[in-house]
Amino acid sequence: MKLIEDLRNSDSKGVLLLGLPGTGKTFLAQTLATKSKVPVIKLDLASIYGSLVGESEKNIQKALATIRAFDNAFVILDEFDKTFSHGKHGQDAGTSERVIGILLQWLSEEKKGQFVIAMSNHPEKFEKAPEVLRRGRFDLVIGFPTPPKQYIRKVAENYAKKYNLPVDEKLLSKDYLVPADVAAFYDLASKVGIERAHKLFRTSAETIGIEEWKKMENAIYKMTGGITVFNVEQGLDNITPEASTTHDPATEQTLNKNIENLEF
């Protein structure tokens, strides 16, 4: 995405990608990291926490000291929400709060030459941690909701060509499809056939539960103010207040208008 590349080249602090599972956050981060031609550091935040007193704080300090040693680096924070959802308040002797404090202080620092992309599959968790989204931590928060059907059709066409299979209209008739669903379906269909694949296949939304999926999607619009990967480059003036709290047909129409010029 050109906008993120521009931010990376202007000594910005970084971006936070909030999205549903399988919508392409990791793919985008890895692609941009590869194109940046600088050292790439992936920090596994879930592994920071230790069982001994003070171990977690030492681990995060050591990890950040290593990152600071690089004058120029691309830092990927996957599953960013696990940092502040590891332990409930008061149940881990304050360890989570201290680790979060150390990490947020680092995110607020001037990191000349270093660019952070943080990602999360659980946007709803940020509703209980507003301090993470405070200005100065990230330059931009971008949502990855369910892609418009026009986008999913293009993804299906690519995979159909890859596996020498037809574009499956039955698959495309499903609601809440994401790119990972399409990839998984065509991979399965190439092995067992399309008819059997339909009997075996479940979308990510069906696995998680449609109602839960909708709640997560609404949280994306709320946390990002309606700024998504499909409109961040263009058409921001068309975002309505409703788009920041729910995913409705008007929102999808706006996304469809902008999809032709996406740069990945």
Side-chain angles (χ1 to χ4, degrees):
M1 181 187 292
K2 187 177 183 300
L3 176 61
I4 296 181
E5 289 181 320
D6 289 343
L7 288 172
R8 167 71 182 90
N9 294 328
S10 62
D11 291 326
S12 297
K13 293 180 179 179
V15 297
L16 172 60
L17 309 182
L18 292 181
L20 298 164
T23 48
K25 299 180 299 300
T26 301
F27 174 78
L28 175 60
Q30 291 174 342
T31 299
L32 291 171
T34 301
K35 291 177 65 176
S36 69
K37 298 181 180 180
V38 298
V40 178
I41 303 170
K42 185 174 181 180
L43 181 57
D44 181 3
L45 295 170
S47 68
I48 290 296
Y49 290 92
S51 58
L52 301 178
V53 175
E55 184 179 5
S56 304
E57 294 90 333
K58 290 180 180 178
N59 287 342
I60 188 65
Q61 292 280 22
K62 184 177 180 180
L64 296 181
T66 300
I67 294 173
R68 288 188 182 101
F70 287 84
D71 292 329
N72 206 12
F74 201 104
V75 184
I76 297 178
L77 307 180
D78 206 356
E79 298 185 299
F80 184 57
D81 55 274
K82 287 191 175 181
T83 309
F84 53 87
S85 61
H86 177 266
K88 294 183 178 179
H89 183 73
Q91 292 186 3
D92 61 357
T95 297
S96 294
E97 284 84 352
R98 289 190 292 273
V99 170
I100 293 168
I102 293 169
L103 183 63
L104 294 183
Q105 180 180 355
W106 172 73
L107 286 170
S108 299
E109 292 176 2
E110 293 294 332
K111 297 183 284 296
K112 191 171 183 179
Q114 297 178 351
F115 189 76
V116 177
I117 286 191
M119 296 172 285
S120 172
N121 284 337
H122 295 281
E124 74 282 0
K125 292 184 179 180
F126 289 83
E127 294 181 280
K128 297 181 180 180
E131 69 277 9
V132 179
L133 303 182
R134 187 178 303 161
R135 288 189 176 275
R137 316 278 197 214
F138 298 98
D139 295 290
L140 194 61
V141 181
I142 303 175
F144 280 67
T146 303
K149 287 185 177 295
Q150 181 181 350
Y151 179 84
I152 289 297
R153 178 171 288 277
K154 290 184 177 181
V155 174
E157 289 172 353
N158 289 336
Y159 279 103
K161 183 177 180 180
K162 175 182 177 180
Y163 289 105
N164 195 27
L165 291 169
V167 174
D168 190 77
E169 296 298 333
K170 185 176 180 179
L171 172 68
L172 294 179
S173 69
K174 289 179 175 289
D175 292 325
Y176 305 106
L177 278 177
V178 297
D181 292 334
V182 178
F185 176 82
Y186 274 96
D187 180 62
L188 180 62
S190 70
K191 298 170 182 175
V192 303
I194 288 180
E195 186 175 343
R196 292 179 68 190
H198 275 295
K199 295 178 180 179
L200 299 170
F201 177 73
R202 296 185 72 197
T203 67
S204 300
E206 289 169 344
T207 301
I208 292 174
I210 298 299
E211 291 305 313
E212 184 63 26
W213 188 270
K214 290 180 181 178
K215 290 179 183 178
M216 293 168 64
E217 187 158 60
N218 288 340
I220 292 173
Y221 286 99
K222 181 177 180 180
M223 295 295 99
T224 65
I227 299 176
T228 77
V229 67
F230 301 110
N231 60 30
V232 69
E233 293 280 2
Q234 61 280 113
L236 291 177
D237 292 339
N238 294 326
I239 297 176
T240 63
E242 289 78 14
S244 66
T245 57
T246 186
H247 185 196
D248 57 18
T251 303
E252 184 164 310
Q253 184 178 8
T254 299
L255 301 182
N256 280 328
K257 289 180 180 178
N258 296 319
I259 198 167
E260 294 295 337
N261 297 317
L262 286 177
E263 297 184 34
F264 284 97

